[in-house]
Amino acid sequence: MAGLTLSAANNVANLQEVTNIKKTTPFEAQQSFGAALKESINQVNEAQLYSDSLTNKMANGENVDLHSVMIASQKASISLSATLEIRNKVVEAYQEIMRMNI
């Protein structure tokens, strides 16, 4: 019986923790999503700039390892391709939502 009471007390404590969680407003969610999206795009841009920098250094005859240039180029290419695919899926989902009858 004491074990059952302890378990019930734990459940009540867990329920209180869940109800104390701050609710996120739609505006806050929008701001958070916008910030995450901007950060992701900045990371893709940085990968592109780094790849361009290494390619220019190699073209100018500076001491740059060919493997590093190719790896940076492929990373930038893959990140850009992934970003474009995500964008395409988001646009497709938006178009699907707009076609829904209300």
Side-chain angles (χ1 to χ4, degrees):
M1 188 70 136
L4 182 61
T5 307
L6 184 58
S7 177
N10 287 336
N11 289 339
V12 170
N14 290 337
L15 182 60
Q16 287 174 346
E17 288 177 14
V18 170
T19 57
N20 289 337
I21 295 175
K22 183 180 177 248
K23 305 278 191 239
T24 302
T25 65
F27 178 75
E28 291 171 339
Q30 181 182 8
Q31 294 298 318
S32 176
F33 177 75
L37 186 62
K38 186 174 181 178
E39 178 64 29
S40 297
I41 291 173
N42 284 339
Q43 288 177 355
V44 171
N45 188 42
E46 288 175 11
Q48 292 287 332
L49 293 175
Y50 180 67
S51 173
D52 289 344
S53 172
L54 287 181
T55 302
N56 287 336
K57 285 181 181 179
M58 185 175 162
N60 291 334
E62 295 180 28
N63 188 14
V64 178
D65 188 23
L66 176 63
H67 293 91
S68 298
V69 175
M70 294 305 296
I71 289 170
S73 175
Q74 285 299 309
K75 282 183 179 180
S77 175
I78 290 170
S79 65
L80 182 61
S81 296
T83 302
L84 289 175
E85 287 300 319
I86 291 169
R87 182 208 56 162
N88 292 342
K89 289 294 184 182
V90 168
V91 169
E92 184 180 317
Y94 175 77
Q95 290 172 343
E96 185 68 29
I97 290 170
M98 294 312 291
R99 278 185 246 141
M100 287 181 174
N101 292 329
I102 297 178

